């Protein structure tokens, strides 16, 4: 009887011990998964950064509204620095500003106008700068921010610009336009076919035969390319390949076609 009780007691002990370790390992695994999920969700969040001056009726005005990445991670820093550098460049009128921040660039923009107005008070109209940033695409691997700006620094009219900033979320770096493609030349050849069809340029004629202004009569990709929900967007600014009156020329290539050329593909 004693032997029976001893053997069965040991079996129960080892069963409970084994079951305890299995439950402990499962609990540990669930905790790890939960922490990773929370970290992924919280690793990249945004708030709206708004900067504007108290401009009077006939004074230069600056209005900026962009997403600001939060969190002490490299990707947040990469995004914020890229946006800052782009906006400083947009506001840099005399190309001699030493501004290191968006606020500093805004102040320099106003100061540049005031100096010009001091020299030519009867000729200089108040300047205006409006910059708006929007996240237009994001998945687990890629983030694209579109910067829309309107700048008036004198003359007959102001001018609108668009910038597309693409970020590799895995490597936590900004992607240069050429870094988007496995082979730029192959993508360019593919895109020229689409461009000619969309803009009614005959395949047996030069690319400028219908009035476009590509330099050296050769097709090239625009400066601005970005990911969107509908596909890869190619954005030619006014003046880039056509007159200001023609406005921007836009191509959107569905991911079913674009993925063959992209280093980071997107599920359609």
């Amino acid at each position: 009887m004693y032997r029976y009780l001893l053997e069965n007691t040991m079996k129960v002990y080892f069963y409970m011990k084994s079951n305890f370790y299995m439950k402990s390992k499962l609990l540990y695994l669930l905790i790890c998964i939960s922490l990773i999920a929370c970290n992924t969700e919280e690793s990249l969040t945004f708030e709206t950064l708004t900067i504007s001056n108290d401009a009077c009726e006939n004074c230069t005005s600056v209005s900026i509204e962009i997403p600001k990445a939060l969190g002490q991670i490299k990707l947040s820093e990469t995004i914020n620095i890229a946006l800052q550098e782009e906006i400083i460049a947009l506001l840099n009128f005399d190309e001699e500003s030493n501004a290191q921040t968006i606020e500093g660039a805004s102040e320099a923009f106003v100061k540049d106008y005031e100096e010009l107005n001091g020299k030519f008070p009867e000729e200089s109209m108040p300047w205006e700068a409006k910059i708006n940033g929007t996240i237009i695409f994001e998945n687990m691997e890629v983030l694209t921010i579109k910067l829309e700006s309107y700048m008036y620094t004198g003359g007959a009219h102001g001018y609108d610009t668009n910038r597309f900033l693409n970020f590799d979320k895995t490597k936590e770096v900004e992607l240069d336009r050429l870094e988007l493609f496995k082979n730029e030349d192959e993508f360019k050849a593919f895109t020229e076919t689409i461009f000619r069809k969309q803009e009614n340029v005959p395949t047996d004629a030069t690319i400028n035969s219908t009035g476009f202004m590509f330099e050296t009569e050769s097709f090239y990709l625009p400066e601005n390319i970005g990911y969107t929900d509908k596909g890869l967007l190619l954005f030619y600014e006014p003046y880039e390949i056509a007159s200001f009156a023609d406005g921007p020329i836009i191509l959107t290539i569905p991911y079913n076609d674009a993925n063959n050329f992209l280093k980071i593909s997107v599920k359609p």
Side-chain angles (χ1 to χ4, degrees):
M1 181 69 178
Y2 172 78
R3 184 177 180 179
Y4 173 81
L5 289 174
L6 178 62
E7 288 178 352
N8 283 275
T9 299
M10 293 300 292
K11 287 181 181 179
V12 171
Y13 170 76
F14 284 115
Y15 172 78
M16 292 178 66
K17 185 176 181 180
S18 175
N19 195 38
F20 172 77
Y21 281 127
M22 289 181 65
K23 288 183 176 180
S24 297
K25 289 181 179 180
L26 180 59
L27 178 61
Y28 177 76
L29 180 60
L30 290 173
I31 291 173
C32 289
I33 292 173
S34 177
L35 289 174
I36 292 172
C38 290
N39 184 63
T40 301
E41 291 176 1
E42 296 176 3
S43 61
L44 186 62
T45 56
F46 293 88
E47 68 178 10
T48 300
L49 174 63
T50 302
I51 298 173
S52 61
N53 65 334
D54 297 324
C56 59
E57 184 177 351
N58 293 312
C59 299
T60 290
S61 64
V62 179
S63 175
I64 299 170
E65 188 171 296
I66 59 171
K68 178 182 178 180
L70 305 177
Q72 301 298 316
I73 59 173
K74 181 182 177 183
L75 181 56
S76 294
E77 181 182 8
T78 298
I79 292 170
N80 292 333
I81 289 176
L83 286 168
Q84 175 177 276
E85 291 177 346
E86 198 68 45
I87 293 172
I88 289 174
L90 286 169
L91 294 173
N92 191 2
F93 173 75
D94 60 7
E95 299 183 356
E96 295 181 359
S97 172
N98 294 317
Q100 301 297 313
T101 65
I102 296 176
E103 291 84 353
S106 300
E107 293 171 2
F109 184 80
V110 174
K111 184 178 179 180
D112 286 339
Y113 164 74
E114 291 174 347
E115 290 181 354
L116 184 66
N117 186 53
K119 297 177 182 178
F120 309 100
E122 296 180 358
E123 298 180 15
S124 57
M125 295 287 291
W127 293 355
E128 183 179 4
K130 290 183 179 179
I131 302 173
N132 184 64
T134 309
I135 298 172
I136 61 170
F137 182 83
E138 183 178 11
N139 64 10
M140 294 297 292
E141 297 179 285
V142 179
L143 170 76
T144 299
I145 296 177
K146 180 181 180 181
L147 270 184
E148 298 176 273
S149 66
Y150 170 79
M151 310 292 291
Y152 177 77
T153 54
H157 54 74
Y159 58 95
D160 299 281
T161 62
N162 290 267
R163 298 286 185 271
F164 294 85
L165 309 182
N166 303 290
F167 300 91
D168 184 327
K169 295 174 66 177
T170 303
K171 296 181 179 179
E172 300 182 294
V173 296
E174 183 181 5
L175 295 169
D176 182 80
R177 181 195 66 172
L178 302 184
E179 294 176 320
L180 299 177
F181 308 107
K182 300 173 185 176
N183 187 305
E184 182 198 359
D185 290 335
E186 290 180 359
F187 180 71
K188 182 171 67 173
F190 172 79
T191 304
E192 180 174 357
T193 301
I194 296 176
F195 181 91
R196 285 177 177 271
K197 183 176 181 180
Q198 175 179 299
E199 301 299 326
N200 297 314
V201 180
T203 56
D204 57 351
T206 63
I207 195 67
N208 289 342
S209 61
T210 59
F212 285 107
M213 298 183 291
F214 285 93
E215 294 181 9
T216 69
E217 293 280 340
S218 299
F219 177 84
Y220 46 78
L221 298 175
E223 291 296 322
N224 286 288
I225 299 175
Y227 287 83
T228 72
D229 290 333
K230 295 182 179 180
L232 192 70
L233 187 142
L234 285 72
F235 192 99
Y236 291 93
E237 294 274 13
Y239 291 130
E240 194 170 355
I241 59 170
S243 68
F244 180 83
D246 290 324
I249 308 297
I250 302 172
L251 281 76
T252 301
I253 302 178
Y255 290 118
N256 282 329
D257 297 324
N259 279 339
N260 294 326
F261 306 95
L262 292 172
K263 288 182 179 179
I264 304 177
S265 60
V266 174
K267 185 178 180 180

